[in-house]
Amino acid sequence: MNKALSQVQEKSLLDDTRTFRKLELNYRKNRSQDHSPEIDSLASRFRYEEAKDSYWNPEQFSLLYGTPLWEQATEAQRVKLNQLYWVAYYSQIISAEIATIFFNQTSAAGLYAIEDFRLVCDTMDLESAQERSHINAFKKVGEDFEENVFGERIFTYHMRGPFVETMICHNSNRVKEFWRWIELHAFALLSSDNAFIGCQYFAVRGIRTLNGKLIQHQLGQFYSKHTDKEKEDFLISNVPIPSQLSYCHFLDESFHFNSSTIISHDVLNSLRRPTAFEKWVANRALLGTQADHYHFSTAINGLFWYDPALFPKVYKILRSPLFDMDDRQARQMMVDCFTKETDGLHLSAHSRQTAIDSYRQYLADIDYVSRDNKEMSVMRRNSVAAHLKRNSRELKRFFLKMEAQ
Ligand SMILES: [Fe+2]
Ligand SMILES: [Fe+2]
């Protein structure tokens, strides 16, 4: 900051040389190692035909893994459940990243209003461009898969804006959706005109990315374990392209997670102390994340999807030529998979518990964060017993609704 001229804030990011260096290093390394060109190239070369017979993820990351469906599936069906996991998982990531691009920009606008924040904003520009490359690749693979296997959409969707519900399979209704729309608009306006709220968007982004990191690390390992010698040689590797995409994406996202952490924990110290209203808004946003991450899904380990929102999709998959079940068989299979304790259910519950523990650790040293958020008390209210009860009730409703149609 130019000391001879008056500035509006008392502290400067430049005075905190340790934080500034951390930010600079993260930005420089992300720029030099940027995986978007490889991701673009992989996406443009993807042909479903060439990857159709391989696993794309470690086996346990398959749709309905550890349930009766998985136990009874043939090897060919298991391969498809494994690929379906990839498509479902990254369809959720697309939605999250569309919102991320938007809030990266509104938050950068809020922070750019104070001196010396160019580096933070340049970092956001780079990350947003990378997200566009990620989205393009996930969309290409997901849509090619669904067109070839089902001839219609199951988990993918046409391009959308940032103001719709971020969670694809969620527990919602028209009123909740409208309220969500209002909240997102309010947060966008506030973050673009308030440095503290802009800065603390990154606490929200940090915990959201943290769960992604826990799962995507394991998805990325599938590729790196297969290609020890040629890890960096994406073009000649014969590992399926979706697995390579998981690996490259994980590497880009590691930098995004670092920047979230530096901005929400360290850069925060260069801002003036928040007002009661600002603290309230930032805590509301964290509570919103807890609400989004309340459920866990028997069908898909690592996403906080609401199983009942998946029932129509799973029914469609079971009736498709892939499993070729009649109505009675499909219903019985859904009862067995969704309303009883299975290994798959416990694996998903365990991943969610790991997420809760990591979130608590992440927020522990941020002063303004409320006790409800530090302890993740909203998320902790859910349990395996409550999950099974809800699934049983909603599955009955789903069957009744089908009969009424
Ligand atoms: Fe991404
Ligand atoms: Fe990201």
Side-chain angles (χ1 to χ4, degrees), residues 85-360:
Y85 178 100
W86 194 102
V87 172
Y89 184 85
Y90 288 109
S91 292
Q92 175 58 50
I93 300 301
I94 290 175
S95 171
E97 296 193 342
I98 288 172
T100 299
I101 291 170
F102 179 66
F103 289 111
N104 281 353
Q105 299 310 320
T106 60
S107 304
L111 288 164
Y112 195 55
I114 41 180
E115 312 283 346
D116 310 322
F117 269 75
R118 179 179 168 189
L119 176 58
V120 174
C121 301
D122 288 349
T123 303
M124 287 312 113
D125 289 348
L126 171 62
E127 292 184 6
S128 295
Q130 289 175 323
E131 302 298 16
R132 282 188 281 271
S133 154
H134 303 165
I135 290 168
N136 174 66
F138 300 150
K139 195 165 159 48
K140 165 84 165 37
V141 173
E143 289 182 347
D144 277 9
F145 170 88
E146 291 189 341
E147 196 179 358
N148 278 283
V149 179
F150 298 105
E152 62 176 317
R153 288 190 191 277
I154 306 282
F155 292 107
T156 64
Y157 42 88
H158 52 75
M159 207 50 186
R160 54 200 279 180
F163 293 110
V164 278
E165 186 70 57
T166 314
M167 204 59 80
I168 304 287
C169 293
H170 56 280
N171 178 16
S172 201
N173 55 43
R174 299 291 280 269
V175 178
K176 280 193 201 167
E177 274 167 20
F178 180 66
W179 181 241
R180 173 85 180 180
W181 185 87
I182 301 269
E183 277 189 324
L184 288 173
H185 276 80
F187 193 78
L189 277 175
L190 287 166
S191 58
S192 64
D193 193 26
N194 182 304
F196 171 78
I197 295 171
C199 180
Q200 284 318 288
Y201 158 68
F202 293 96
V204 174
R205 204 188 79 165
I207 58 172
R208 285 180 180 268
T209 313
L210 191 48
N211 181 59
K213 197 172 143 84
L214 295 167
I215 301 300
Q216 289 165 34
H217 173 67
Q218 300 177 71
L219 301 181
Q221 285 287 305
F222 186 72
Y223 170 69
S224 44
K225 272 190 189 145
H226 275 71
T227 53
D228 267 353
K229 281 179 239 87
E230 48 182 12
K231 202 182 282 184
E232 296 304 325
D233 199 346
F234 302 108
L235 295 172
I236 62 161
S237 172
N238 51 18
V239 173
I241 282 180
S243 319
Q244 298 186 53
L245 287 170
S246 296
Y247 177 74
C248 294
H249 184 250
F250 173 72
L251 295 178
D252 277 355
E253 287 303 323
S254 301
F255 289 107
H256 300 189
F257 178 68
N258 286 348
S259 60
S260 290
T261 306
I262 304 168
I263 299 169
S264 62
H265 288 68
D266 303 315
V267 169
L268 178 65
N269 298 323
S270 293
L271 304 181
R272 60 162 176 72
R273 291 189 69 73
T275 63
F277 173 71
E278 289 167 343
K279 284 187 204 174
W280 179 80
V281 172
N283 275 298
R284 281 288 309 170
L286 288 167
L287 279 172
T289 303
Q290 284 202 63
D292 277 355
H293 294 190
Y294 180 82
H295 294 289
F296 52 93
S297 166
T298 302
I300 182 154
N301 178 6
L303 286 184
F304 303 112
W305 278 2
Y306 181 57
D307 274 343
L310 275 163
F311 293 162
K313 295 180 192 298
V314 171
Y315 181 79
K316 199 183 261 185
I317 293 168
L318 297 177
R319 297 294 309 273
S320 76
L322 183 55
F323 286 97
D324 207 21
M325 291 185 186
D326 63 24
D327 174 66
R328 196 189 51 81
Q329 290 167 322
R331 286 184 191 217
Q332 189 55 50
M333 182 55 84
M334 290 179 73
V335 169
D336 293 343
C337 289
F338 286 109
T339 68
K340 298 174 183 168
E341 281 199 42
T342 63
D343 291 346
L345 164 70
H346 286 293
L347 284 170
S348 295
H350 181 260
S351 292
R352 185 171 165 286
Q353 187 55 50
T354 309
I356 291 175
D357 296 342
S358 325
Y359 296 176
R360 292 176 77 177

